[in-house]
Amino acid sequence: MSIPSKYDASLVEDKWYDYWMKHNYFHSEVDEREPYTIVIPPPNVTGVLHMGHMLNNTIQDVLIRRARLLGKNACWVPGMDHASIATEAKVVAKLKEQGIDKNNLTREEFLEHAWEWKNKYGGIILEQLKKLGASCDWERTKFTMDPDMSEAVIKVFVDLYNKGLIYRGYRMVNWDPEAKTTLSDEEVEYVEKQGKLYYVNYQVEGSDEILTIATTRPETILGDTAICINPNDERHQNLRGKKAIVPICNRVIPIIEDEYVDVEFGTGCLKVTPAHDENDKVLGDKHNLEVIDIFHEDATLNSFGMHYEGKDRFVVRKEIVKELEEKGHILKVEDYNNRVGISERTKAIIEPRLSDQWFLKMEELAKPALDAVLETGEVKLFPKKFENTYRHWMENIRDWNISRQLWWGQQIPAYYYGDGKEDFVVAESKEEALELAKEVTQNSALKIESLKQDPDALDTWFSSWLWPISVFDGIRNPENEEIKYYYPTNDLVTGPDILFFWVARMIIAGYEYKEERPYENVYLTGLVRDKQRRKMSKQLGNSPDALKLIQDYGADGVRVGLLLSSAAGNDLMFDEALCQQGKGLANKVWSALYLTTLWETSDSIEQPVSSKIAIDWYRSKFQKTLAEMEDHYSKYRLSDALMAIYKLIFDDFCGLFLEIVKPSYQQPIDQKTYDEIIDIFEENLKVLHPFMPFLTEEVWHQLNERNPEKALIIAKYPEQTSYDEELIRSFDFATDVVSGLRTIRKEKNIAFKEAIELSVINNESFTNEFNSVIQKLTNVSQITEVKEKVEGASFRVKSNEYFVPISLDNINVEEEIEKLTKELKRAEGFLMGIQKKLSNERFVNNAPEQVIALERKKESDTLAKIETIQSSLKSLK
């Protein structure tokens, strides 16, 4: 069999992905096997593959491929989220390029453009995931606005409304003036911004008195409807019962009293603008104040803004300050650090705004989800540290604003039959709404044309919180065989940034609609950062092109690089060098394959003792590593599981095992050993496959011809068995001897082809059964046990001393004496430091026992090293 000497990922990856797809290995149907289910966190339909997606989906693919090898019915459901705000913004921008204004379109016309955009550009990311090797069940691909998915969303809205949990309310909401929609509290990020605190004088009506307020938002003065003082503030007793005049607009407003006012902040006089501040709205309701909204939906000023009408709020801020200064109303201006809310999507500064919106009552709904994580442990978070974050959010949960002033998304199924705010019915269809409206109005002549559906769309999260249920049609058909088989799912892999947005809400929906958890384990990945710990972003230019990385290092190399960077729940410091390390592992495995194909086999050769020992040792080492890996998997420490298999294959299999068992130059290998090598190689491939699927499948088929039923992707995972710990320890001892001999060869410039002799003072009573292994790896002609030291180069392994006679003709005596003298000086200095520490009574009396024991061991090892160096020097003089 002839194979290339170098591994080329580009020739392998498409070939095997096509093969897997052709033979339908990724697809799952209900059967008698134990199911293992993952639902993908649906990426935005607008998304393209970035490093976060790469990490998240690599982890999911490792888990799903391992489950497949374990014989489970592995089902990984892919899909996309319709991302209402992001997608609508993209479509509006595209229309703008074509000279089309959204405002000139009907809803239906706009949605035609939106679907056209989705069908043309949406879903790129799912195709890119295939390049990474993601083994999703592509036949099950779902989109949150598929007809059946939308039907489920509407059904849930109607159900929750009928349960009295959804209501319409006039509330202060987070308004995104760029997207022109409300946002839930969780969609608002808070950032520190350097701003100004303006001290503004107001005239007290009918007097020469002045009161001063402090504000960071002077543009909202035009919406003031009161000044509030604390009744306990001695400074302002003279203002009680009086009125003030708002600068510029000259509106006369009352001076009210309330203990809400912080006497320590600013001047103790608070301007009250109920339309533009949540706390002011509370005060306004309490004191029956007028509400004056001065902004349009895009945060330009309306007619209440007087001569500033039509100008942006931040432009007005500068201009109104100038006008106030000119009119003598500005007392002073101070620098001020302000915590400002910004839109998670558009980054626009949020404007508090009063609006009629739809809300979902959350307090009672949240209780089972809180208990599931923090009391019963039915849902486990990895790492556990995120439980505190979860508790904080869930115990302080607020009603969820579920309406958005957008067209792209599920339209709220509320139908108005009159002009009043409360003249509506909620139903799954317009036909059902008509029947309900006839009942409510007692008007049997009511026509369907008279009904007007609420124009708002539902929050995108209101569809994705149903994801683990709706992908198996569990809302519309709650007793279907798929929902009963695949639900609850097993693992969820996602980022901690959407722990509340999505993870908690899915748990809430799971208990409300299936009366059980949606998944058992939640693996929370960290953020991908660069080597300087900066978050990766387009703006910083520090986010590598994901597909270019795959092109440069192969998908397997990138997968390994990502996982080697990543510890569960901690931020990932991504370094491209780790992808090179992954590529290096692929090359190492390929070299091992190439080496085995060069060997000829013979049935007439006896199996060497060294080969038998190596096989027994490696099988034990494999089982020990397998046990370690299973422990890491159970704790979602996937990077540790990978590192365990990495070391096993790179160091133990390639670095030691193959070196021991390989035949002499141009000699055949015995058939028994060769068969064992191939079997061991295949076991290695099985445990490596979840991490490096392309490479392993290629090598698997190169080792033996296989039909589709014998492909690696559906092979049987190795079973755990007992292993010989003593054999592993003894072998480790032997490899320490090998390392010592290799060091002597290197230091003395002795070529490997020159056989050397080895003498040993065997204080450890170390068995000589490993002598054949030591001899094979180091070209030692014979190993002799001695009672006295032998002249020549020496080293120690534990208390054993090893000697290699060195001919002085082969070495530069002066150079060797100089080198050993320096080494002796270093060792004596190190010993002095240890002994000084051990002679310090305070240290010995206070240090833990294990620390003292460690220091004493260092002392004895260093004394032995000094003795060995002195002996070597003596033999040279």
Side-chain angles (χ1 to χ4, degrees):
M1 179 172 60
S2 176
I3 65 162
S5 59
K6 295 269 173 67
Y7 177 64
D8 186 345
S10 66
L11 300 177
V12 165
E13 291 175 359
D14 286 346
K15 175 180 84 173
W16 287 114
Y17 204 89
D18 291 345
Y19 181 87
W20 295 328
M21 290 286 283
K22 178 185 173 185
H23 295 289
N24 225 17
Y25 297 123
F26 303 163
H27 184 56
S28 171
E29 292 286 350
V30 174
D31 62 24
E32 71 289 344
R33 290 175 295 166
E34 177 190 346
Y36 176 82
T37 317
I38 293 180
V39 292
I40 200 171
N44 285 356
V45 68
T46 58
V48 291
L49 197 63
H50 60 59
M51 299 306 291
H53 292 132
M54 297 260 278
L55 170 65
N56 186 288
N57 287 283
T58 294
I59 291 167
Q60 289 177 82
D61 196 48
V62 167
L63 295 173
I64 210 82
R65 285 180 181 274
R66 176 172 170 268
R68 212 175 271 126
L69 291 167
L70 288 168
K72 296 177 183 178
N73 189 351
C75 179
W76 182 12
V77 181
M80 293 178 298
D81 187 280
H82 64 272
S84 52
I85 295 175
T87 307
E88 187 145 328
K90 292 262 188 189
V91 176
V92 168
K94 185 171 181 291
L95 290 171
K96 198 172 181 181
E97 286 172 13
Q98 298 170 359
I100 303 170
D101 185 343
K102 176 195 169 187
N103 297 317
N104 295 331
L105 298 175
T106 64
R107 186 189 199 105
E108 289 67 30
E109 287 169 341
F110 176 80
L111 288 175
E112 275 183 35
H113 286 287
W115 279 106
E116 184 186 321
W117 184 93
K118 181 264 176 189
N119 293 331
K120 187 172 182 181
Y121 300 104
I124 290 171
I125 190 168
L126 297 185
E127 290 305 309
Q128 292 173 328
L129 284 177
K130 293 176 182 178
K131 293 289 181 189
L132 189 65
S135 57
C136 302
D137 186 347
W138 298 110
E139 291 179 38
R140 292 184 176 273
T141 303
K142 301 301 289 183
F143 178 50
T144 50
M145 276 179 63
D146 284 342
D148 59 324
M149 301 290 277
S150 288
E151 189 181 323
V153 171
I154 299 305
K155 201 173 190 68
V156 164
F157 182 98
V158 174
D159 176 65
L160 292 171
Y161 177 80
N162 290 336
K163 288 173 178 172
L165 293 170
I166 285 179
Y167 65 93
R168 187 162 170 76
Y170 188 62
R171 299 282 189 279
M172 183 70 72
V173 294
N174 305 302
W175 184 260
D176 180 340
E178 190 170 314
K180 299 185 184 66
T181 184
T182 57
L183 301 176
S184 66
D185 294 334
E186 295 74 37
E187 290 169 298
V188 179
E189 296 174 352
Y190 288 91
V191 294
E192 293 291 332
K193 282 194 180 288
Q194 177 69 51
K196 301 285 184 186
L197 187 61
Y198 302 90
Y199 288 79
V200 184
N201 290 335
Y202 287 52
Q203 183 82 37
V204 177
E205 187 191 33
S207 76
D208 294 331
E209 288 180 279
I210 297 290
L211 65 84
T212 306
I213 62 96
T215 181
T216 57
R217 303 196 63 197
E219 69 278 11
T220 63
I221 279 173
L222 301 174
D224 288 356
T225 57
I227 298 292
C228 190
I229 59 171
N230 190 312
N232 304 313
D233 191 339
E234 294 295 331
R235 295 171 297 173
H236 301 309
Q237 294 301 309
N238 62 309
L239 299 176
R240 299 177 77 169
K242 295 183 179 179
K243 294 183 177 179
I245 302 169
V246 180
I248 299 176
C249 69
N250 296 319
R251 183 184 304 119
V252 177
I253 57 175
I255 297 172
I256 60 173
E257 299 173 47
D258 199 290
E259 291 185 349
Y260 165 76
V261 178
D262 182 357
V263 296
E264 300 296 325
F265 177 77
T267 65
C269 291
L270 177 75
K271 68 187 280 297
V272 185
T273 320
H276 301 295
D277 182 275
E278 192 167 355
N279 296 318
D280 288 8
K281 176 66 169 63
V282 174
L283 271 177
D285 289 346
K286 186 176 177 181
H287 295 274
N288 296 313
L289 298 179
E290 186 183 0
V291 177
I292 299 175
D293 184 350
I294 65 167
F295 291 128
H296 290 300
E297 63 176 11
D298 62 354
T300 58
L301 272 70
N302 61 24
S303 59
F304 285 106
M306 303 170 61
H307 45 285
Y308 296 111
E309 184 176 1
K311 292 185 177 181
D312 181 76
R313 54 187 166 159
F314 297 119
V315 172
V316 174
R317 181 174 300 177
K318 290 178 182 175
E319 293 183 2
I320 206 167
V321 167
K322 190 177 177 186
E323 184 176 352
L324 288 167
E325 282 175 336
E326 289 170 354
K327 292 184 174 177
H329 289 289
I330 297 288
L331 177 67
K332 61 178 179 176
V333 180
E334 295 176 347
D335 287 334
Y336 186 73
N337 275 338
N338 206 6
R339 193 161 173 265
V340 176
I342 62 170
S343 166
E344 182 205 31
R345 286 277 171 224
T346 66
K347 305 306 177 190
I349 291 179
I350 293 302
E351 193 61 56
R353 191 177 195 218
L354 285 165
S355 178
D356 282 308
Q357 300 292 335
W358 293 88
F359 294 87
L360 174 60
K361 294 176 184 176
M362 295 298 285
E363 192 174 353
E364 288 302 314
L365 280 174
K367 283 179 181 174
L370 184 65
D371 291 344
V373 173
L374 302 172
E375 298 298 330
T376 65
E378 285 185 7
V379 178
K380 298 175 186 68
L381 304 186
F382 294 88
K384 197 174 171 64
K385 66 180 181 182
F386 286 109
E387 285 182 7
N388 288 332
T389 309
Y390 186 86
R391 179 190 297 277
H392 175 75
W393 276 335
M394 296 296 275
E395 288 182 347
N396 295 282
I397 201 162
R398 297 171 64 178
D399 288 356
W400 177 8
N401 173 4
I402 56 173
S403 48
R404 297 290 177 272
Q405 288 61 58
L406 300 165
W407 284 347
W408 179 245
Q410 287 91 8
Q411 192 172 354
I412 287 174
Y415 298 86
Y416 293 85
Y417 52 79
D419 296 328
K421 283 186 179 181
E422 303 303 317
D423 295 345
F424 66 83
V425 291
V426 170
E428 290 182 40
S429 68
K430 205 166 188 177
E431 289 72 25
E432 285 180 38
L434 179 62
E435 294 308 311
L436 283 173
K438 284 178 179 178
E439 282 179 38
V440 172
T441 61
Q442 298 292 300
N443 179 6
S444 59
L446 197 66
K447 300 290 184 191
I448 204 161
E449 295 79 22
S450 304
L451 297 183
K452 184 183 175 188
Q453 190 172 354
D454 192 302
D456 288 355
L458 283 158
D459 180 9
T460 303
W461 297 107
F462 194 82
S463 55
S464 52
W465 78 320
L466 304 174
W467 187 248
I469 306 172
S470 58
V471 294
F472 298 115
D473 204 15
I475 298 293
R476 300 188 317 152
N477 298 296
E479 295 303 314
N480 80 76
E481 66 167 3
E482 289 208 335
I483 192 73
K484 289 199 283 188
Y485 179 73
Y486 292 113
Y487 187 96
T489 68
N490 296 77
D491 296 322
L492 179 76
V493 182
T494 190
D497 53 326
I498 54 173
L499 179 56
F500 183 77
F501 272 141
W502 191 49
V503 178
R505 287 171 177 165
M506 281 191 289
I507 300 172
I508 291 169
Y511 283 102
E512 180 65 16
Y513 286 100
K514 295 304 297 174
E515 296 183 350
E516 58 182 329
R517 65 192 179 194
Y519 27 70
E520 183 178 356
N521 306 299
V522 181
Y523 178 104
L524 296 156
T525 64
L527 289 173
V528 183
R529 297 183 180 274
D530 65 13
K531 287 185 288 184
Q532 299 170 21
R533 305 190 71 87
R534 299 177 305 175
K535 187 175 177 180
M536 287 191 170
S537 68
K538 287 179 186 173
Q539 288 80 5
L540 288 173
N542 62 346
S543 184
D545 179 333
L547 295 179
K548 178 76 164 57
L549 284 175
I550 290 173
Q551 190 179 319
D552 292 344
Y553 301 104
D556 291 328
V558 175
R559 288 165 68 113
V560 168
L562 282 162
L563 288 173
L564 288 180
S565 312
S566 173
N570 295 321
D571 287 354
L572 176 157
M573 303 306 130
F574 179 73
D575 184 352
E576 218 169 292
L578 291 169
C579 293
Q580 183 60 53
Q581 196 174 334
K583 186 177 181 179
L585 178 58
N587 289 336
K588 195 79 169 174
V589 172
W590 190 261
S591 296
L593 168 70
Y594 184 70
L595 180 67
T596 60
T597 61
L598 298 177
W599 299 338
E600 289 185 12
T601 60
S602 171
D603 289 325
S604 60
I605 304 173
E606 282 287 314
Q607 184 180 55
V609 174
S610 58
S611 293
K612 183 182 185 309
I613 292 169
I615 289 163
D616 291 344
W617 160 73
Y618 191 83
R619 290 203 182 278
S620 274
K621 190 66 188 281
F622 179 89
Q623 281 298 329
K624 183 179 182 180
T625 303
L626 187 61
E628 288 171 10
M629 287 179 70
E630 294 311 298
D631 180 57
H632 292 318
Y633 272 123
S634 73
K635 294 164 183 167
Y636 292 84
R637 297 198 303 242
L638 268 65
S639 55
D640 293 337
L642 170 59
M643 187 48 77
I645 184 65
Y646 182 100
K647 288 177 179 174
L648 179 77
I649 291 175
F650 204 97
D651 299 336
D652 297 326
F653 181 70
C654 297
L656 284 172
F657 177 72
L658 290 180
E659 289 299 310
I660 298 168
V661 298
K662 74 180 181 183
S664 300
Y665 181 63
Q666 291 190 334
Q667 296 299 309
I669 186 171
D670 68 283
Q671 189 67 48
K672 185 178 181 183
T673 297
Y674 184 78
D675 291 343
E676 295 265 24
I677 291 167
I678 299 305
D679 184 63
I680 284 169
F681 205 154
E682 289 179 349
E683 293 294 280
N684 286 342
L685 293 175
K686 290 174 186 176
V687 292
L688 184 59
H689 176 75
F691 299 99
M692 305 184 83
F694 294 109
L695 165 80
T696 52
E697 192 74 74
E698 173 71 15
V699 174
W700 178 261
H701 287 264
Q702 290 286 358
L703 287 172
N704 273 303
E705 279 190 32
R706 326 259 182 179
N707 61 31
E709 287 73 37
K710 299 290 184 184
L712 176 57
I713 190 173
I714 51 167
K716 190 172 185 294
Y717 201 71
E719 288 184 12
Q720 282 185 258
T721 60
S722 59
Y723 55 89
D724 188 339
E725 185 68 63
E726 184 55 42
L727 173 60
I728 294 170
R729 273 198 295 271
S730 297
F731 197 91
D732 287 346
F733 191 100
T735 57
D736 287 344
V737 176
V738 170
S739 295
L741 287 165
R742 285 174 172 170
T743 300
I744 285 173
R745 279 191 180 276
K746 184 180 178 184
E747 289 178 349
K748 309 298 182 188
N749 293 318
I750 304 170
F752 186 80
K753 65 183 178 181
E754 290 183 40
I756 55 175
E757 294 180 4
L758 180 66
S759 300
V760 55
I761 299 177
N762 193 4
N763 296 322
E764 293 281 334
S765 302
F766 180 61
T767 175
N768 61 10
E769 71 175 292
F770 291 93
N771 285 0
S772 61
V773 170
I774 294 167
Q775 288 175 272
K776 177 76 183 283
L777 290 172
T778 57
N779 194 15
V780 166
S781 57
Q782 67 179 57
I783 299 175
T784 310
E785 282 198 25
V786 295
K787 298 294 183 186
E788 301 294 329
K789 295 182 179 185
V790 175
E791 284 194 5
S794 63
F795 62 94
R796 297 174 74 93
V797 176
K798 294 190 177 174
S799 62
N800 272 13
E801 290 186 72
Y802 293 87
F803 307 93
V804 176
I806 302 292
S807 168
L808 295 183
D809 297 335
N810 293 338
I811 62 170
N812 185 318
V813 176
E814 286 182 8
E815 279 184 13
E816 190 65 20
I817 289 173
E818 185 183 354
K819 188 178 83 175
L820 287 170
T821 303
K822 284 180 182 176
E823 201 174 318
L824 178 64
K825 194 173 180 181
R826 275 198 303 273
E828 287 172 338
F830 185 63
L831 178 66
M832 193 182 298
I834 296 167
Q835 290 177 332
K836 188 177 178 183
K837 196 183 283 186
L838 289 171
S839 64
N840 183 331
E841 282 186 33
R842 190 174 172 188
F843 170 75
V844 174
N845 292 335
N846 295 318
E849 272 184 42
Q850 61 265 35
V851 172
I852 303 293
L854 182 64
E855 292 300 319
R856 294 203 189 284
K857 186 175 186 311
K858 284 183 191 174
E859 182 185 37
S860 63
D861 288 349
T862 309
L863 282 166
K865 184 177 182 180
I866 288 170
E867 189 183 342
T868 302
I869 296 170
Q870 287 171 334
S871 174
S872 297
L873 278 167
K874 188 179 175 184
S875 69
L876 290 168
K877 289 177 180 176

